[in-house]
Amino acid sequence: MAELHAALGMVFAWDVLAVILGASLFGLLIGAIPGLTATMATALLVPVTFFMEPLPAISAIVAATAMAIVAGDIPGALLRIPGTPASAAYTEEAYLMGRQGKIGQALGVNLACSVVGGLIGVAFLVFFAPLVADFALRFTSDEYFWLALLGLSCAVLVSGADPLKGAISMLIGLLISMVGMDSVSGQIRFTFGISDLLGGISILPVLIGLFAIAELLRRMPEIGHTHFPPPPPVEKPFSGVGRLMWQYKGGIARSGVLGTLIGALPGAGADIASWISYALSRKLSRTPEKYGTGHPEGLVAASSANNAALSGAYIPALVFGIPGDTITAIIIGVLMMKGITPGPDVFTSSATLVNAIFIVFILANLLLLPLGMLAIRGARHILAVPSSVLYPLILLFCIVGAFAANNSLLDVWLMLGLGLLAYFLVENDFPIGPMILAVILGPVVESNFMRSMIKANGELLVLFERPIAAMLGGLALLVWLAIIVSSVRSAWGARAAATSS
Amino acid sequence: MRINDLLMGLVMALLGAITIWASKDFPPIARQPYGAGTFPTIIGAFLVGLGLLLSLRGWQQRGALFLWQGQVTPSHTLICLLAAITAVAGYVLLTPLLGFPLVAPIMLTLLIGWLSGGRWGMAIIVAIVASAVVWSVFALLLHVPLDLGILEEVIY
């Protein structure tokens, strides 16, 4: 109780509340602009959070991402262009509702269901994370090695249609994480004689390069070539929302739980949760034929799931230090920059901080209602911000942000190089999610493997001796088998297709 | 721009081979078969294997080696890429000499003016205000040592 009281005191400090409000407004702006993602909002926030205490830093990211996902629904409903990938599953449905004169209702349902879904996810996080953490206290380096490897493997498997390219993206991320002095042996690796690289490649230029610069490079050429029609006015945003939510209450609850569970899977974030919930809702619906015609049932399900997934992703991130998605990968990076290594120990050593994070989650989700309303009302103005002004400003912010962590211009070069790399990879269908997860998890996998080997005098089979380690190891190997089989089959399929044509 | 998987795979395999070669001299930990070279070698080996698999797939699909997709012309995309690269490189190279208060507004003015189709008045105003805000937040509030360049002699 004393910890809860202390946590409340930490959260309800004026500076933390101001950070939450400011970050929410920032998330609102980025999310509502088509093409700019919640992950990009997070990456752009990191340079500022670098100078904050851990709680306001995490609060900023939690608030900005929740708001960005919700704001991403707005251009989807108004212009048929999803603001973030997490809104893509139900963009058509929301837009068609708008064409039927129900634009206010569509956006109101999006907002209200996002809040409910987010709160379901938070409830899971609050109740289950400490229980799992208690269980995880018994883990040794064996379990952590397999857990991190399993996280990487799942990230590859769910990263997109092509696991082969996902696996290559992950390997490049692992390679980036190998640069610098090896933490176990002290050996210097791949620094090319540059002393600034001895501590490894700083996470900040990696994040900004992969998620902000690459996106800017992709979007800049479109300026002047894509014209958005003026959005229709939004009237009575909450008209009929309560009735719809009551009608589909089962779907909201189911999608909230499903979204949380999907979010907790490494690599599967809000966008995948949204698509799966939409598909499941259609499958279980009594009126599946109405889907795709401006029917609110799928909208209700998917918009609950994507915000629930955001909270779900924090369960493995806080308990094991294994990111559930790209946003939690960034959170782990931020925590590590501040000297906090996420893991079960955090729940005992920093229990007040953990409780404070839970409270921030509830607060950020509740704040969605008034700020979401504000976003809906001001949508026309946000969408009027010209990209020709916004993108150069983001570029300057990226440059200064990459420089800020170490006051090093080398980091700006690294940001540019990694941004170009990510640009070319994304243009060729390589997913970036596995790469950032690998940058975070690479050292975890390697250091735990080396610790286990030192304990066991290099005996590999020791990694399977403990029951949970054996189970996790078996799962990781199965996932890798699935990746390899899928890759070989795709190569075989390509050959068959080429022969038949 | 889409590059055929045949080429992409070969590049990845080459990267893997270079990684293995660069890791061969990392010594193992005392009385251990494993060391600093273990993981880079495994990563390199996987890159070689999966890169070759990707190449094989690309070769079987028999597509063009380079293919342009999208509504925007290749030349316009290339110009935009070069503009962004030049902006970042220009900032890194010129800021130590001229200082942030000169480089940032010039960079923003040029980019905004060009991207907005010649609205230079608006570009200059936005660039000055935005540079002042970034300077205030990072240099004054967060104490990030943004370079003053030649302005350092003028001010101090």
Side-chain angles (χ1 to χ4, degrees):
Chain A
M1 200 62 196
E3 277 165 359
L4 188 64
H5 196 256
L8 281 167
M10 280 172 82
V11 174
F12 287 95
W14 72 268
D15 56 332
V16 178
L17 293 176
V19 162
I20 291 175
L21 187 65
S24 296
L25 292 171
F26 175 73
L28 186 154
L29 176 74
I30 297 287
I33 293 171
L36 305 187
T37 62
T39 313
M40 185 185 193
T42 316
L44 290 174
L45 260 183
V46 174
V48 182
T49 60
F50 181 76
F51 297 92
M52 295 177 185
E53 292 293 311
L55 182 64
I58 295 169
S59 306
I61 294 174
V62 168
T65 46
M67 198 65 230
I69 298 277
V70 170
D73 297 342
I74 297 171
L78 294 176
L79 306 171
R80 212 185 210 164
I81 306 161
T84 66
S87 309
Y90 50 87
T91 290
E92 186 73 11
E93 213 76 75
Y95 179 75
L96 290 174
M97 278 181 79
R99 293 288 295 269
Q100 295 163 10
K102 294 189 244 172
I103 188 75
Q105 192 180 63
L107 285 170
V109 164
N110 272 335
L111 178 58
C113 291
S114 296
V115 174
V116 175
L119 289 174
I120 292 173
V122 176
F124 267 77
L125 178 66
V126 171
F127 288 111
F128 287 102
L131 294 178
V132 182
D134 196 36
F135 177 69
L137 277 172
R138 282 167 272 176
F139 283 13
T140 64
S141 56
D142 301 352
E143 283 86 2
Y144 275 113
F145 164 71
W146 285 122
L147 204 55
L149 196 65
L150 187 63
L152 279 180
S153 318
C154 288
V156 168
L157 203 60
V158 299
S159 61
D162 193 348
L164 177 58
K165 289 188 171 175
I168 290 176
S169 170
M170 181 208 70
L171 291 168
I172 296 172
L174 284 176
L175 212 52
I176 293 170
S177 76
M178 295 290 128
V179 174
M181 192 183 283
D182 174 29
S183 63
V184 179
S185 66
Q187 174 71 43
I188 295 163
R189 301 185 293 200
F190 313 124
T191 59
F192 306 102
I194 302 169
S195 56
D196 281 358
L197 288 178
L198 280 177
I201 294 180
S202 172
I203 189 73
L204 210 51
V206 177
L207 293 175
I208 297 175
L210 295 187
F211 292 111
I213 294 292
E215 204 57 40
L216 275 185
L217 295 177
R218 277 161 53 79
R219 299 287 166 193
M220 262 175 70
E222 291 171 4
I223 295 175
H225 289 78
T226 47
H227 297 283
F228 303 132
V234 181
E235 287 162 0
K236 297 180 187 166
F238 273 96
S239 167
V241 170
R243 183 183 53 77
L244 275 178
M245 289 186 67
W246 182 251
Q247 189 181 346
Y248 298 120
K249 55 187 179 297
I252 296 174
R254 183 187 61 231
S255 300
V257 174
L258 184 67
T260 311
L261 296 177
I262 293 171
L265 279 177
D271 44 350
I272 294 176
S274 172
W275 281 107
I276 292 179
S277 292
Y278 183 82
L280 187 71
S281 157
R282 184 178 200 160
K283 201 172 173 63
L284 298 178
S285 171
R286 287 178 193 160
T287 53
E289 72 284 355
K290 288 186 179 172
Y291 278 66
T293 62
H295 184 49
E297 194 176 357
L299 185 74
V300 162
S303 50
S304 307
N306 59 12
N307 261 59
L310 277 184
S311 312
Y314 281 81
I315 298 174
L318 284 176
V319 176
F320 303 117
I322 308 287
D325 61 1
T326 47
I327 292 166
T328 43
I330 297 174
I331 285 265
I332 290 176
V334 169
L335 284 173
M336 284 161 79
M337 280 195 295
K338 297 186 177 306
I340 298 173
T341 307
D345 296 334
V346 171
F347 285 75
T348 46
S349 63
S350 311
T352 311
L353 176 68
V354 173
N355 283 325
I357 293 173
F358 292 159
I359 296 167
V360 165
F361 264 100
I362 297 169
L363 199 61
N365 275 289
L366 291 176
L367 256 182
L368 290 180
L369 271 180
L371 293 181
M373 280 293 288
L374 188 74
I376 292 171
R377 296 267 183 211
R380 290 163 76 97
H381 303 293
I382 299 171
L383 291 168
V385 176
S387 308
S388 55
V389 173
L390 191 66
Y391 291 177
L393 297 184
I394 292 177
L395 184 64
L396 178 67
F397 197 80
C398 290
I399 295 171
V400 178
F403 172 79
N406 300 317
N407 303 329
S408 160
L409 286 172
L410 175 71
D411 282 353
V412 183
W413 285 122
L414 286 171
M415 171 201 78
L416 179 63
L418 290 165
L420 283 167
L421 174 72
Y423 168 79
F424 279 107
L425 290 178
V426 171
E427 286 285 295
N428 287 282
D429 301 332
F430 285 83
I432 294 301
M435 193 190 292
I436 189 64
L437 260 62
V439 173
I440 300 285
L441 288 177
V444 180
V445 172
E446 187 181 25
S447 61
N448 281 301
F449 174 80
M450 293 308 291
R451 255 181 239 138
S452 288
M453 288 304 99
I454 290 169
K455 276 188 297 188
N457 283 326
E459 187 60 53
L460 263 181
L461 286 176
V462 164
L463 289 170
F464 290 95
E465 269 183 6
R466 291 165 57 88
I468 296 172
M471 190 189 75
L472 292 170
L475 273 174
L477 294 179
L478 268 179
V479 173
W480 268 103
L481 190 69
I483 292 168
I484 291 168
V485 168
S486 160
S487 303
V488 172
R489 278 180 65 181
S490 71
W492 194 259
R495 184 182 170 189
T499 312
S500 65
S501 66
Chain B
M1 184 179 69
R2 285 195 70 86
I3 302 166
N4 192 305
D5 284 349
L6 172 70
L7 286 183
M8 288 298 278
L10 285 177
V11 171
M12 297 303 165
L14 183 67
L15 178 67
I18 293 171
T19 306
I20 295 171
W21 176 79
S23 314
K24 68 180 171 25
D25 293 331
F26 295 153
I29 295 174
R31 295 184 299 281
Q32 285 281 334
Y34 309 106
T38 306
F39 266 75
T41 307
I42 293 171
I43 294 165
F46 266 96
L47 266 176
V48 170
L50 297 183
L52 289 177
L53 202 57
L54 185 64
S55 271
L56 179 70
R57 199 174 74 178
W59 178 67
Q60 283 168 342
Q61 283 168 339
R62 299 179 203 288
L65 282 184
F66 299 97
L67 186 67
W68 191 257
Q69 58 181 13
Q71 298 168 332
V72 186
T73 58
S75 58
H76 182 67
T77 304
L78 194 64
I79 290 170
C80 285
L81 281 180
L82 285 175
I85 294 167
T86 310
V88 178
Y91 179 95
V92 175
L93 298 173
L94 295 176
T95 308
L97 301 172
L98 301 177
F100 178 91
L102 284 178
V103 174
I106 292 171
M107 181 193 108
L108 283 181
T109 304
L110 292 175
L111 276 178
I112 295 172
W114 173 60
L115 288 171
S116 62
R119 294 171 67 189
W120 293 105
M122 181 265 295
I124 291 171
I125 294 168
V126 172
I128 292 172
V129 173
S131 302
V133 170
V134 171
W135 175 267
S136 308
V137 172
F138 281 92
L140 302 181
L141 197 69
L142 302 175
H143 302 294
V144 175
L146 295 176
D147 262 312
L148 278 169
I150 50 168
L151 294 176
E152 199 155 345
E153 290 170 22
V154 177
I155 294 170
Y156 301 107

